[in-house]
Amino acid sequence: MERSEAYGFSAAISGAFLLSCLLFSALNREQRAPYMDEAFHVPQAQAYCEGLFQQWDPMITTLPGLYLMSVGIVKPAVWLFGWSGSVVCSTGMLRFINLLFSVGNFYLLYLLLCKIHHKNKTVSGFQRILSTLTLAMFPTLYFFTFLYYTDTGSVFFTLFAYLMCLYGNHKTSALLGFCGFMFRQTNIIWTIFCGGSVVAQKLSEAWKTELQKKKEERISAMKGSFSELIKVLQFLTEYIMSFKNLVTLIVLTWPYIFLVIVFFAFVVINGGIVVGDRSSHEACFHIPQLFYFFSFTLFFSFPHLMTLNKIGNFLQSVRKHLIQYSILIAISLFLVWKFTYVHKYLIGDNRHYTFYVWRKVFQRHDLVKYIFVPAYIFAGWSLADSLKSKSIFWNLIYFVCVFAVTVPQKLLEFRYFILPFLIYRLNIPVPPLSRLLLELTLYVVVNAVTFHLFLNKTFQWPNSEEIQRFMW
């Protein structure tokens, strides 16, 4: 890191932390008591602070990683600063832990951008810093920095695991992946992604050698032709069927394989992936969740995904492959028809934005959910097109993981999209400054509106004196 970039990075992370502290103070003045899921998380953490590790709230569905980490941070701080009384493990103190995680996320995002794009010498230090600042301000993640939820810590350990994977420290990566799993069970998918990216790299090298033997020019580009896909699948089958290749891959990825085995053992012993209240978290084949993620990504990355050039390329692709797109639309319409699920929380809790998205958009008419199918296809195509600089094998493992982490979820919840979005955004080519500034402006505006609604537009339910607030 050059000196000017180091100064710029220090200024950015310090400024972001100062702003976060001001927002943190404002939020805690207005909402002192635990809110929403904090009503479960805060008492559980306080029980752990008191040494009551056998006490467990059956409404909590995640493992106790957040509470154990909180005790591990708060207890030494109590000893160091001599705190006592109500400040120890108070709601504000527990929320502040996520603020510390957010600083770690800022640094990890910067390191990941440097590592992933280190070969691109045209990317300036200012672009890296601005990209980091933008991703650190990603609205869905940034909002939960100020509440005692699992998201910020979950992202921290998953990004840390991904960074160690890129540096080849796979045992450390798997250990960090276990920490992420302790925050949220679905993070096992991103452990599989880390192991899969190692496999994808080996496959890309072997595929390059294969093509050089055949004196073909393109290495692993996604041309979109069906014949090329068949060739890739044939190569993949032949490669995996080789005992020598299989042993090599197992030796490279054994830490991740071991963690996956631990995960399956947990599922068997626990009787499912959910720890507590399973009635509201039943797995299902909710294919439209993938379409919602594409739309979510299109909105928050529109400066990169909705350029005139991309739209033109998409229309040209449609003209060239009209039959294939027609079949894709027909399949998508069928999937929307047969596999759209509506969770009771989605239509029953008017504190979440998804409640209004569903009521104001999707419930206007039965045909609305079908009308959006062409937009879903464009969003998916645009996302895949942005990742064309990655190998076809990397894309394969990424989209399989996105499928696995979104489709089984019955509830439409934007928080489930945070990690797949960040992984996507980190791996696209670093955008030019104009698009980065537009993206940052979008995030700042969305955050400003979000915090304004949460802090100032309160309301009450009938027959209840408790103040309710709008949130993600």
Side-chain angles (χ1 to χ4, degrees):
M1 185 189 300
E2 296 181 0
R3 180 174 296 181
S4 59
E5 186 175 349
Y7 288 152
F9 176 78
S10 299
I13 194 171
S14 301
F17 183 66
L18 176 60
L19 173 63
S20 296
C21 286
L22 294 174
L23 284 172
F24 180 83
S25 177
L27 187 143
N28 276 276
R29 282 197 304 270
E30 293 295 325
Q31 182 64 45
R32 295 183 180 276
Y35 186 68
M36 287 287 290
D37 289 1
E38 284 187 320
F40 309 113
H41 294 310
V42 170
Q44 185 62 54
Q46 290 172 341
Y48 275 32
C49 281
E50 295 172 6
L52 304 175
F53 293 101
Q54 299 298 321
Q55 182 175 318
W56 185 259
D57 188 334
M59 292 300 294
I60 296 174
T61 59
T62 54
L63 290 167
L66 176 63
Y67 321 124
L68 293 171
M69 184 60 63
S70 299
V71 173
I73 293 174
V74 171
K75 286 297 185 180
V78 168
W79 174 79
L80 184 63
F81 298 107
W83 292 333
S84 61
S86 60
V87 70
V88 178
C89 283
S90 63
T91 302
M93 180 61 66
L94 293 172
R95 287 172 177 170
F96 189 76
I97 290 170
N98 276 341
L99 205 60
L100 298 178
F101 274 130
S102 73
V103 177
N105 285 335
F106 194 107
Y107 190 46
L108 287 171
L109 288 167
Y110 176 77
L111 294 177
L112 282 164
L113 283 167
C114 291
K115 179 60 178 176
I116 292 170
H117 303 286
H118 71 280
K119 292 182 179 179
N120 188 351
K121 303 302 180 183
T122 62
V123 177
S124 67
F126 185 68
Q127 280 178 284
R128 285 191 290 267
I129 294 170
L130 191 58
S131 293
T132 303
L133 180 61
T134 301
L135 291 177
M137 298 290 288
F138 176 53
T140 314
L141 173 62
Y142 190 66
F143 177 82
F144 288 101
T145 295
F146 303 95
L147 296 176
Y148 192 60
Y149 274 57
T150 59
D151 300 270
T152 312
S154 167
V155 169
F156 174 82
F157 283 108
T158 303
L159 292 181
F160 204 170
Y162 185 32
L163 180 67
M164 290 297 99
C165 172
L166 293 177
Y167 275 101
N169 299 325
H170 300 303
K171 286 181 281 189
T172 304
S173 176
L175 180 60
L176 291 165
F178 174 76
C179 294
F181 167 72
M182 290 294 291
F183 272 69
R184 182 168 291 169
Q185 291 91 305
T186 52
N187 284 341
I188 192 67
I189 301 299
W190 301 110
T191 297
I192 294 172
F193 169 78
C194 289
S197 64
V198 177
V199 174
Q201 183 178 358
K202 293 298 292 183
L203 289 172
S204 296
E205 293 171 359
W207 180 237
K208 180 178 179 180
T209 303
E210 183 73 15
L211 293 183
Q212 286 175 343
K213 289 179 181 177
K214 297 178 179 179
K215 299 181 179 180
E216 294 181 10
E217 296 181 359
R218 294 298 295 272
I219 296 175
S220 58
M222 298 176 68
K223 297 178 183 177
S225 66
F226 185 73
S227 60
E228 184 180 356
L229 179 61
I230 293 298
K231 290 179 182 178
V232 170
L233 292 176
Q234 287 176 343
F235 162 77
L236 189 59
T237 303
E238 292 173 1
Y239 187 90
I240 294 177
M241 290 300 290
S242 168
F243 180 76
K244 180 182 177 181
N245 293 335
L246 198 59
V247 170
T248 301
L249 294 179
I250 291 173
V251 169
L252 283 172
T253 61
W254 71 264
Y256 306 109
I257 295 172
F258 177 75
L259 186 55
V260 171
I261 293 172
V262 170
F263 166 75
F264 280 113
F266 158 77
V267 171
V268 171
I269 295 170
N270 186 57
I273 190 173
V274 177
V275 174
D277 180 23
R278 299 178 184 178
S279 62
S280 300
H281 297 82
E282 297 175 350
C284 62
F285 196 64
H286 194 181
I287 287 288
Q289 282 279 30
L290 196 61
F291 300 151
Y292 304 149
F293 169 70
F294 291 158
S295 305
F296 176 89
T297 303
L298 184 67
F299 175 81
F300 282 108
S301 290
F302 85 88
H304 322 308
L305 299 185
M306 291 189 69
T307 64
L308 291 176
N309 186 47
K310 273 191 179 293
I311 294 172
N313 289 341
F314 174 71
L315 293 176
Q316 186 177 7
S317 177
V318 171
R319 284 195 296 269
K320 286 184 178 179
H321 309 285
L322 186 59
I323 295 176
Q324 291 92 324
Y325 277 99
S326 298
I327 295 172
L328 182 59
I329 287 177
I331 294 173
S332 300
L333 289 169
F334 173 79
L335 293 174
V336 169
W337 173 49
K338 295 297 290 184
F339 297 103
T340 295
Y341 297 94
V342 182
H343 197 284
K344 61 182 180 180
Y345 289 170
L346 180 61
I347 58 176
D349 194 336
N350 64 347
R351 295 170 293 183
H352 292 289
Y353 296 157
T354 48
F355 171 89
Y356 298 95
V357 170
W358 196 261
R359 190 180 72 172
K360 300 289 186 180
V361 180
F362 289 93
Q363 285 189 327
R364 281 191 174 274
H365 195 279
D366 289 340
L367 294 177
V368 170
K369 60 184 178 182
Y370 303 109
I371 293 173
F372 283 117
V373 164
Y376 297 152
I377 291 174
F378 169 72
W381 176 91
S382 188
L383 192 154
D385 184 68
S386 295
L387 292 170
K388 63 184 179 183
S389 60
K390 311 297 289 189
S391 74
I392 190 170
F393 304 106
W394 188 96
N395 275 273
L396 179 62
I397 187 64
Y398 171 73
F399 282 104
V400 166
C401 288
V402 169
F403 183 93
V405 84
T406 57
V407 168
Q409 307 281 359
K410 186 176 182 179
L411 176 63
L412 172 57
E413 170 64 82
F414 291 144
R415 290 188 297 142
Y416 300 156
F417 300 155
I418 292 174
L419 277 168
F421 177 87
L422 289 177
I423 298 295
Y424 140 78
R425 182 58 183 77
L426 285 166
N427 282 280
I428 66 172
V430 178
L433 288 176
S434 58
R435 294 181 188 172
L436 284 173
L437 289 170
L438 183 58
E439 185 182 33
L440 178 59
T441 302
L442 170 67
Y443 289 5
V444 169
V445 170
V446 172
N447 281 326
V449 171
T450 301
F451 281 103
H452 171 70
L453 292 174
F454 184 85
L455 296 174
N456 303 316
K457 298 297 181 179
T458 60
F459 63 99
Q460 289 179 279
W461 286 338
N463 304 319
S464 174
E465 295 182 357
E466 186 177 353
I467 298 296
Q468 306 299 334
R469 302 176 185 275
F470 298 107
M471 60 184 291
W472 286 102

